[in-house]
Each structure stands twice: as structure tokens, then as C-alpha cells.
């Protein structure tokens, strides 16, 4: 049974939504009720061969159209620069004591997170060589770049805003879908004022308004063929917007496929 205080909060939320007149749906207190969540799905435009040895944790399209890939697993974590045809143009390994997670490019650098080690590696974007490190509290999962901050996930329903230069935490905000917290936020991709996030272990991706924290779209990617070897870990994980288009690359952990997709209404 809920504590009385929580019951009062939920009751106020219910009545505030019920009493919101249509003309005030975008006014504070009514905006959550007014949030329309689009239902989308990926439509495959093209499929590419992808290295099934890559335990993909972060995926991003660089300025020259190549792919930046961060990989995980102790003893096998690293960073790669690949062409869509699968050619390896650059590769660096993390020390065996680190489990690689998400990454993002910022100016001439690439930040790469680690899972439970609280350490981020700053890399030269051209060579991928480590030039600095930074530290953060808790686990690191996903990372992406906005105009004024980095967005950082730790597997919870909260996203953090981080300083692009130092990775110091600036603020946190909760992600909600129709008022309910969205847990398991994992790999991230920032596109304008939107953040796209994989939901851990599922085939769902959510699009989040980075200002309000509200989910504005839910993408059901269950139609993408998962041709990876059968393993509980080999799930969808990797979102990269293709600059200048409305299309994305999607892949997964140890997937042999990279999909170029556009997001279309599911109904």
C-alpha cells in the first residue's frame, strides 16, 4: 500500500489532468496530459554487413560519414572507426580492467564512457588516442552531444547534463512517458532538441524532449531482424543519426547486420 503522502501526490496529478480545459493543455500542470506520443517503427532502407564480434555500446556517424563504434566486455573493449562497408580505419583497445560503454564526439575529441569504473576517456577524434580522462559518479551507459551540453545515461530513468569539456555534472532530469518514469535508458543519440534512447534489453527506442524530459515518440524496432547468435546480451543497441537526412543507422550487440532506416508511423 502506498504511503499517504504519495497517495495525495498521485491524487493531485489525477485531478489536475482531469480538470485541464482544452485551451490550457500546454500550460504548466497540464502539459504532461497534452504530450502526444507518436508510435513509430523503422523502415529498412539498406542493410550492410557488420562485424559480429563487436559488442556495440555506442554508435555515431562522424563528420566524414564514417562510423565511430564503442565496444564493451572486459578484455575486449575498445573504439573503432569503420566504413559502412566494414573496413576498419582506426582501432584502439581499452585496458582489460575497463568495460567500454557509450561515446560521443565533441569538437576535436571523442568521450568514451566505462560501465562501473567511473572513468571516461577523452580521445583525439582523428587518431582515437587517449589524451585525457575524467571521472563521474555511478555507472556510465550512454552519451550524446547537444548544442550546449552532453547527455549522459546510467540505466535509470534519469538523464544527466554534463559539461562537454570536463564531463562535470551540471544537472539531472527525469524521463517520463505519460507521467510514468522510463527506466533502462541506455545508448543515446542527440538530434537537435531530441534525445533517442534504447531501452535496455528491449527492441524499444524512445524519443525524448531534452527540455521537458517527456517522451514524444516510441519506436517499436521488433521488426528488425536480429541475426546474432542466441545470447541474452545480443540485443538492439546502437543508434546513429545520419546528418542531413531523416534516417538512422541501427544495430545491436554482436549483430552481423547494420540497418539504415527511416522512422515511419506504425499504424
Amino acid at each position: 500500500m502506498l504511503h499517504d503522502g504519495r497517495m495525495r501526490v498521485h491524487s493531485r496529478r489525477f485531478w489536475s489532468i482531469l480538470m485541464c480545459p482544452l485551451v490550457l493543455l500546454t500550460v504548466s500542470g497540464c502539459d504532461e496530459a497534452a504530450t502526444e506520443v507518436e508510435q513509430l517503427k523503422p523502415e529498412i532502407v539498406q542493410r550492410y554487413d557488420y562485424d559480429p564480434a563487436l559488442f556495440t555500446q555506442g554508435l555515431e556517424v562522424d563528420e566524414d560519414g564514417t562510423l565511430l563504434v564503442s565496444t564493451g566486455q572486459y578484455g575486449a573493449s575498445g573504439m573503432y572507426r569503420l566504413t559502412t562497408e566494414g573496413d576498419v580505419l582506426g582501432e584502439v583497445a581499452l585496458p582489460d580492467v575497463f568495460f567500454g560503454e557509450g561515446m560521443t564526439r565533441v569538437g576535436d575529441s571523442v568521450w568514451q564512457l566505462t560501465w562501473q569504473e567511473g572513468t571516461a576517456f577523452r580521445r583525439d577524434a582523428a587518431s582515437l588516442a587517449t589524451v585525457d580522462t575524467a571521472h563521474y559518479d555511478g555507472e556510465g551507459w550512454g552519451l550524446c552531444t547537444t548544442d550546449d551540453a552532453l547527455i549522459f545515461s546510467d540505466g535509470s530513468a534519469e538523464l544527466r547534463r554534463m559539461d562537454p569539456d570536463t564531463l562535470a555534472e551540471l544537472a539531472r532530469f527525469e524521463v517520463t512517458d505519460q507521467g510514468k518514469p522510463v527506466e533502462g535508458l541506455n545508448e543515446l543519440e542527440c538530434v537537435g532538441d531530441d534525445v533517442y534512447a534504447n531501452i535496455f534489453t528491449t527492441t524499444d527506442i524512445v524519443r525524448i524532449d531534452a527540455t521537458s524530459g517527456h517522451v514524444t515518440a516510441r519506436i517499436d524496432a521488433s521488426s528488425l531482424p536480429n541475426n546474432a547468435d542466441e545470447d541474452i546480451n545480443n540485443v538492439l543497441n546502437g543508434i546513429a543519426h545520419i546528418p542531413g537526412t531523416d534516417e538512422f543507422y541501427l544495430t545491436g550487440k554482436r549483430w552481423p547486420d547494420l540497418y539504415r532506416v527511416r522512422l515511419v508511423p506504425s499504424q
Side-chain angles (χ1 to χ4, degrees), residues 139-244:
E139 295 185 356
W141 286 40
L143 197 66
C144 67
T145 304
T146 67
D147 288 339
D148 57 359
L150 304 185
I151 305 295
F152 173 112
S153 67
D154 59 13
S156 70
E158 283 190 328
L159 294 177
R160 310 182 198 180
R161 299 187 193 279
M162 313 291 271
D163 185 285
D165 294 321
T166 65
L167 217 66
E169 184 174 333
L170 304 174
R172 298 191 184 201
F173 61 97
E174 185 177 55
V175 174
T176 59
D177 184 349
Q178 300 296 301
K180 298 179 180 179
V182 180
E183 300 283 347
L185 300 173
N186 193 10
E187 215 271 294
L188 305 178
E189 178 74 351
C190 293
V191 184
D193 294 329
D194 293 323
V195 179
Y196 290 78
N198 278 120
I199 305 301
F200 184 53
T201 74
T202 78
T203 54
D204 287 342
I205 299 168
V206 291
R207 187 183 69 205
I208 304 156
D209 183 315
T211 301
S212 67
H214 296 167
V215 170
T216 60
R218 186 170 285 271
I219 299 112
D220 177 4
S222 60
S223 61
L224 286 182
N226 180 348
N227 296 311
D229 291 341
E230 189 171 344
D231 186 309
I232 192 172
N233 294 303
N234 294 351
V235 295
L236 179 76
N237 197 58
I239 317 167
H241 176 247
I242 304 172

Side-chain angles (χ1 to χ4, degrees), residues 6-19:
R6 289 187 62 193
M7 290 181 66
R8 286 194 294 270
V9 170
H10 291 179
S11 177
R12 284 197 301 271
R13 178 185 293 273
F14 171 78
W15 284 108
S16 67
I17 292 173
L18 189 64
M19 297 296 286

